[in-house]
Structure formats: structure tokens, C-alpha cells
Amino acid sequence: MSTRTKGLIVAPIGLLLVSVGLWVLNEAIYIRHTGAPFRQWFLWAVYSLILVNGGLLLFGQAVRYRAQLDYRRFVRRELKKRDREWTRLLQKRKTSPGKSEVK
């Protein structure tokens, strides 16, 4: 799978997990205020923490994929630019008379 495809898949999943995690946290807070036992709202809160952290991790990975794509694009452009400069320089040397001859 290409880096671009990975980034396009992982980013929305990460955002979805963060959203669901925040929703579960909201439910845990509601359960706590309704007077539910400690274990019940605590487990909901831990579950929300896992979802939010997992979502942030996946979204961070998607940002990393995007940075890799941008860096590769930059390197390719620079290499093409250098290649064009070298070909122009070589063509100039071939067309110009021999100035490097020693008298």
C-alpha cells in the first residue's frame, strides 16, 4: 500500500476515534453525576482515554505519512532541477571553444 493511501485511510479513522473517545468521556461524566458506582464510571473513563489516545496516535501517523510525501516531492524536484542545470552546463562546454587549452 502506498504512503498516500495509508495517510488517506488512517487520518479519518484517527479523527473518528478521537470523536468517539470524547463522546464516551462525556457519558462517563454523566454516569458519575447520576450517582453510579465508582467501577462503572471509572471503566467508561478509562475506555474513553484509550480511544482518544489511539485516535491521536493514528492521526499523528497520518501527519507523518503526509510529511514523508512532501519531503519526497521536494527531493524529486531538487534532483530534477540539478539534472537540468548539469545538462545545460555540459551543453555550454560542448558548444564553447576550447578555453582550457594551455599555450
Side-chain angles (χ1 to χ4, degrees):
M1 192 180 310
S2 72
T3 305
R4 179 180 168 86
T5 305
K6 288 178 191 175
L8 289 174
I9 292 172
V10 172
I13 292 173
L15 290 174
L16 182 68
L17 282 177
V18 169
S19 300
V20 171
L22 292 175
W23 176 75
V24 171
L25 179 64
N26 187 30
E27 288 296 316
I29 293 169
Y30 175 75
I31 290 171
R32 180 174 184 223
H33 286 293
T34 58
F38 172 78
R39 179 182 286 172
Q40 185 179 4
W41 66 262
F42 179 76
L43 290 177
W44 278 84
V46 168
Y47 180 58
S48 73
L49 183 66
I50 291 169
L51 289 173
V52 168
N53 284 331
L56 290 175
L57 178 95
L58 288 176
F59 190 73
Q61 189 68 28
V63 169
R64 184 172 168 247
Y65 288 143
R66 180 62 190 198
Q68 285 177 348
L69 284 172
D70 290 343
Y71 181 71
R72 288 177 189 166
R73 183 177 301 141
F74 171 75
V75 168
R76 285 187 195 123
R77 285 181 184 167
E78 288 298 316
L79 288 175
K80 284 181 183 179
K81 208 183 289 184
R82 287 181 186 178
D83 189 36
R84 282 190 299 249
E85 289 174 4
W86 276 102
T87 53
R88 271 192 245 134
L89 182 63
L90 290 175
Q91 287 175 355
K92 281 184 181 180
R93 285 189 179 185
K94 286 181 183 178
T95 57
S96 66
K99 293 181 179 181
S100 62
E101 296 176 12
V102 179
K103 292 185 181 182

